[in-house]
Amino acid sequence: MTASPHRGGPVAVPIDRWGHLPLPAAPMTAAEIGSVIAAHRTGLSPLHTPRRRSSRPHADAEQIDVIRPEPTPADLDSGYYRAGVDARRRAHTALADVPDMVDDVEDRIEALLQRTLDLLGDEAAP
């Protein structure tokens, strides 16, 4: 890994619908990364839409008052919260073996580290 060149910059960048990366490379936000992961978890291919660039108003630009409509409360059906609780229960059941898998990976890492240290210790001894 030390022979690999170090490249600075963002790790996750958006790819447009033609497969091109933005220039200069702009990092994806956590919400953008989360939406891509959520789409893959559901089995749906995420849409590749161009990013909207945020523009900052210039200091000498005329200020325009924008009238924003009042937010309206969403009418939720009676099963809304039950569906959320059920989804969490299914996720808890599906992910129950994750701690054991993490422990197994940590044990294997420790064993590999010890083996590496033993190999390096043998070479350093006269």
Side-chain angles (χ1 to χ4, degrees):
M1 292 300 296
T2 58
S4 299
H6 174 71
R7 295 184 180 137
V11 174
V13 295
I15 300 172
D16 67 12
R17 63 183 137 214
W18 299 282
H20 296 107
L21 300 174
L23 290 176
M28 293 175 71
T29 64
E32 290 170 331
I33 294 170
S35 68
V36 171
I37 292 171
H40 280 287
R41 289 185 67 210
T42 59
L44 302 173
S45 176
L47 299 175
H48 295 285
T49 56
R51 283 180 61 149
R52 293 185 335 161
R53 297 284 181 200
S54 61
S55 61
R56 296 182 182 163
H58 298 289
D60 57 348
E62 184 178 318
Q63 295 294 328
I64 299 172
D65 291 331
V66 177
I67 299 172
R68 298 177 194 262
E70 288 292 321
T72 58
D75 294 329
L76 303 176
D77 66 319
S78 61
Y80 177 78
Y81 293 106
R82 174 57 44 203
V85 170
D86 291 341
R88 285 174 182 82
R89 185 173 289 122
R90 285 190 307 271
H92 180 73
T93 302
L95 300 173
D97 59 343
V98 170
D100 293 334
M101 291 187 328
V102 170
D103 290 341
D104 181 50
V105 169
E106 287 178 347
D107 292 342
R108 291 168 53 191
I109 289 171
E110 284 294 323
L112 287 171
L113 176 62
Q114 186 58 48
R115 182 175 173 205
T116 303
L117 291 175
D118 291 343
L119 289 172
L120 292 175
D122 288 344
E123 290 182 8

